[in-house]
Amino acid sequence: LYFNGRASGARFYLTFLVGSARSDGRRAAGVRLQLDRGAGMETFSASEPVTDAAAMRAPDLAIGASSVRLDGMRYVIHLDLRDARGRRARADLSLEAAPGRLLPPLEIAGVRGWRTGYVVPVMSGKLDGQIAVDGRRVPLDGGTGYHDHNWGFWKGVSWQWGQVQQNDLSVLYGRVFPPPGAADPERLPGFVGVLGPDGPIGYTTDVTIAETNDARGNPQAIAVRARGAQVDLSLIFSVESAEVTRGGSGGPAASGLDFYQLRGTYNVDGRAGSTVLAFAAPGSAETFRGR
């Protein structure tokens, strides 16, 4: 379960992740909050295993003292986390979904029962609440948030993904790379979707995603080009910060690759339907690198 949001000069990125089975039959699980209050990224986290039964109740999910609960069309989030220095971050947030402002569920099926699913229940929704770091409040009332949700067999999977929003417009791109033997990656195209104030306004699978590295082999920029009857769009993402989970450390997908969660700025130009897009805005992206 992934959320992000911004309001009043603050941005946050939040992940609830359930992973592989442990020897006691429960599953490894953790929560990570990345908070930008204008002076760099701060990271807070907690981990505690959960049972299969608890995981299958998602999106209602509790990991340690943090939780997500779906109440009608509203996601209610409570957080109680610590950073590496022992500072405490507590939060009570809500994110409102709206009919039509979503990417419907999709599943990819492969051989021997392999399945992977993805949905964006909130492409752009009203955010309220606050985050407090050692008692100092970060208000988020009246902000804007995003939420997506993955499920299925993610071992050996990698992906490219990104999201940016500006006012009533939200742009999403992605591509999934299945593990060897599960499905042919050439048959799984990328996608770009654009959502406006009244619902989707453009979608295409004619997409190229090109990544550029710095001298150390870390992602530096991402160029996305989308063409189709509904969309003619260019997104250029400049990386400003990265949170890296090293392969082999029990991170996402257990792929053996390094997982990068990136923050930066998108420059967006083109059209979706009859809407012209020309803006720069902060956004996020995810990708992988080999060791």
Side-chain angles (χ1 to χ4, degrees):
L1 303 173
Y2 171 79
F3 299 85
N4 70 48
R6 57 192 174 105
S8 304
R11 294 184 282 168
F12 74 87
Y13 309 90
L14 172 65
T15 304
F16 283 72
L17 180 66
V18 177
S20 56
R22 299 162 17 121
S23 58
D24 63 4
R26 295 182 296 171
R27 293 191 174 273
V31 183
R32 178 160 61 186
L33 170 70
Q34 295 167 268
L35 176 64
D36 183 355
R37 295 184 281 178
M41 198 69 69
E42 304 165 273
T43 300
F44 304 85
S45 62
S47 61
E48 185 169 312
V50 300
T51 64
D52 277 351
M56 291 298 290
R57 287 194 290 268
D60 289 5
L61 179 64
I63 299 176
S66 299
S67 63
V68 178
R69 176 171 56 87
L70 180 58
D71 181 8
M73 297 286 287
R74 184 167 61 108
Y75 290 87
V76 180
I77 302 166
H78 175 74
L79 303 176
D80 192 344
L81 308 168
R82 300 271 183 176
D83 71 0
R85 293 183 289 166
R87 295 186 307 155
R88 190 178 191 182
R90 303 184 71 182
D92 286 290
L93 307 170
S94 67
L95 178 62
E96 294 280 351
R101 296 184 62 80
L102 55 81
L103 178 71
L106 58 92
E107 280 201 338
I108 302 168
V111 299
R112 295 184 296 278
W114 182 86
R115 290 168 58 194
T116 286
Y118 177 68
V119 64
V120 185
V122 186
M123 283 280 277
S124 180
K126 181 185 176 185
L127 176 69
D128 284 310
Q130 66 175 25
I131 300 172
V133 178
D134 276 351
R136 184 176 179 182
R137 294 176 62 252
V138 181
L140 295 166
D141 290 337
T144 303
Y146 165 95
H147 165 53
D148 67 26
H149 178 181
N150 301 326
W151 66 91
F153 298 95
W154 285 86
K155 183 176 181 180
V157 175
S158 59
W159 59 86
Q160 297 168 306
W161 171 91
Q163 187 263 343
V164 61
Q165 55 195 48
Q166 173 79 348
N167 299 324
D168 289 333
L169 290 171
S170 184
V171 184
L172 176 74
Y173 75 85
R175 186 179 184 188
V176 172
F177 299 94
D184 181 359
E186 296 303 319
R187 299 181 63 185
L188 303 177
F191 71 90
V192 166
V194 183
L195 189 83
D198 300 315
I201 59 176
Y203 178 87
T204 185
T205 57
D206 185 356
V207 175
T208 59
I209 304 170
E211 300 181 353
T212 303
N213 292 344
D214 62 18
R216 295 183 176 182
N218 297 314
Q220 184 177 50
I222 302 173
V224 181
R225 189 74 177 92
R227 297 179 177 88
Q230 300 174 327
V231 174
D232 186 355
L233 199 60
S234 170
L235 293 83
I236 305 297
F237 178 68
S238 300
V239 178
E240 296 168 2
S241 67
E243 185 80 17
V244 185
T245 301
R246 297 298 178 186
S249 63
S255 63
L257 303 174
D258 294 342
F259 175 52
Y260 285 75
Q261 292 178 292
L262 309 172
R263 319 299 169 207
T265 299
Y266 282 92
N267 283 277
V268 182
D269 289 288
R271 66 163 183 85
S274 60
T275 302
V276 175
L277 290 80
F279 65 85
S284 52
E286 294 178 352
T287 191
F288 289 75
R289 291 289 184 273
R291 296 303 299 273

